[in-house]
């Protein structure tokens, strides 16, 4: 949760965010203790450096404006100065942590032309470290708050099946299945065995 707020506050050129604990607590709805614990976890994971440019500053590790970046929603996530989706997060259920992992994975995996993250459960497990049996609950939580829309697209493995793909709420909303989905080939109804 803290990483989301810090990413929103980060300078586009440097990847450094200037924010007080109060700013981050307001944005995320976290207590100071939970925020502190979360920041320590992010530092231990090598995702964040604390105070690289003075007090109340946070450096996104590996930030490079010229490569390896992804579009990250911001405006659509806030209501009244706080991230509205986090109102439902109480940090008591594994699905909440898994949902956050999947949200960042979907943001990173999003295809620019279709505006969808087309990724199956096996790859989700491999990249996010979420067990297959817990993926559905995490996706359902993301869809309910809403941070992602679940779209069904024709499956590559089967000419008759469908796969799920994930569209991030607030990123290029005009690029969706209604505007780009027409070009996706769907099997002819006469070819489907009954």
């Amino acid at each position: 949760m803290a990483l989301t707020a810090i990413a929103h506050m980060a300078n586009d050129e440097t990847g450094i965010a200037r924010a007080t604990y109060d700013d981050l607590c307001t944005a995320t709805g976290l207590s100071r203790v939970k925020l502190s614990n979360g920041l320590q976890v992010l530092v231990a994971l090598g995702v964040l450096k604390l105070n690289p440019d003075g007090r109340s500053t946070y450096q996104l590790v590996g930030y490079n404006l010229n490569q390896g970046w992804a579009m990250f929603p911001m405006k659509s996530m806030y209501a009244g100065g706080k991230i509205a989706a986090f109102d439902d997060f109480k940090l008591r259920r594994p699905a909440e942590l898994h949902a956050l992992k999947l949200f960042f994975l979907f943001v990173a995996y999003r295809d620019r032309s279709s505006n969808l993250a087309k990724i199956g459960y096996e790859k989700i497990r491999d990249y996010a470290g979420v067990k297959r049996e817990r993926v559905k609950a995490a996706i359902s939580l993301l869809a309910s708050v809403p941070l992602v829309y679940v779209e069904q697209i024709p499956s590559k493995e089967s000419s008759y099946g469908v796969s799920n793909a994930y569209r991030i709420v607030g990123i290029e909303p005009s690029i969706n299945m209604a505007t780009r989905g027409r070009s996706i080939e769907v099997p002819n109804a006469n070819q489907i065995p009954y």
Side-chain angles (χ1 to χ4, degrees):
M1 293 168 68
L3 183 58
T4 303
I6 290 168
H8 289 152
M9 296 175 186
N11 179 288
D12 290 342
E13 299 292 322
T14 64
I16 293 176
R18 298 184 192 292
T20 65
Y21 262 45
D22 288 340
D23 296 336
L24 294 173
C25 289
T26 298
T28 61
L30 294 171
S31 69
R32 292 176 75 83
V33 171
K34 287 183 179 178
L35 176 63
S36 178
N37 291 340
L39 292 173
Q40 294 308 314
V41 169
L42 292 172
V43 168
L45 291 172
V47 175
L48 201 63
K49 285 184 187 174
L50 300 179
N51 304 319
D53 198 27
R55 201 167 154 199
S56 297
T57 60
Y58 308 90
Q59 170 75 49
L60 298 172
V61 173
Y63 181 84
N64 184 337
L65 182 62
N66 299 317
Q67 68 180 27
W69 62 273
M71 290 181 84
F72 197 72
M74 183 174 161
K75 214 187 264 191
S76 64
M77 294 181 75
Y78 283 82
K82 61 190 273 186
I83 301 171
F86 294 165
D87 286 347
D88 294 330
F89 285 60
K90 305 300 178 211
L91 304 180
R92 303 250 185 255
R93 301 177 294 159
E96 295 170 350
L97 174 61
H98 299 150
L100 288 172
K101 287 181 176 182
L102 268 56
F103 179 65
F104 279 93
L105 177 64
F106 295 159
V107 166
Y109 219 80
R110 184 187 68 88
D111 175 60
R112 285 183 181 172
S113 63
S114 67
N115 198 29
L116 294 170
K118 300 172 192 170
I119 184 169
Y121 278 26
E122 300 305 317
K123 293 281 186 197
I124 289 172
R125 183 198 63 211
D126 294 345
Y127 291 138
V130 176
K131 292 181 181 176
R132 183 180 174 85
E133 61 270 13
R134 297 193 178 242
V135 171
K136 188 173 185 177
I139 292 170
S140 294
L141 180 57
L142 286 174
S144 71
V145 288
L147 290 173
V148 301
Y149 298 119
V150 180
E151 308 277 0
Q152 292 188 334
I153 60 172
S155 174
K156 290 181 181 176
E157 286 81 39
S158 167
S159 60
Y160 303 112
V162 294
S163 296
N164 287 340
Y166 310 96
R167 186 161 50 93
I168 309 301
V169 174
I171 295 182
E172 300 185 325
S174 63
I175 300 175
N176 55 56
M177 292 296 288
T179 60
R180 299 277 172 101
R182 295 182 192 114
S183 63
I184 297 174
E185 291 185 28
V186 179
N188 184 327
N190 296 332
Q191 297 174 340
I192 299 175
Y194 292 99

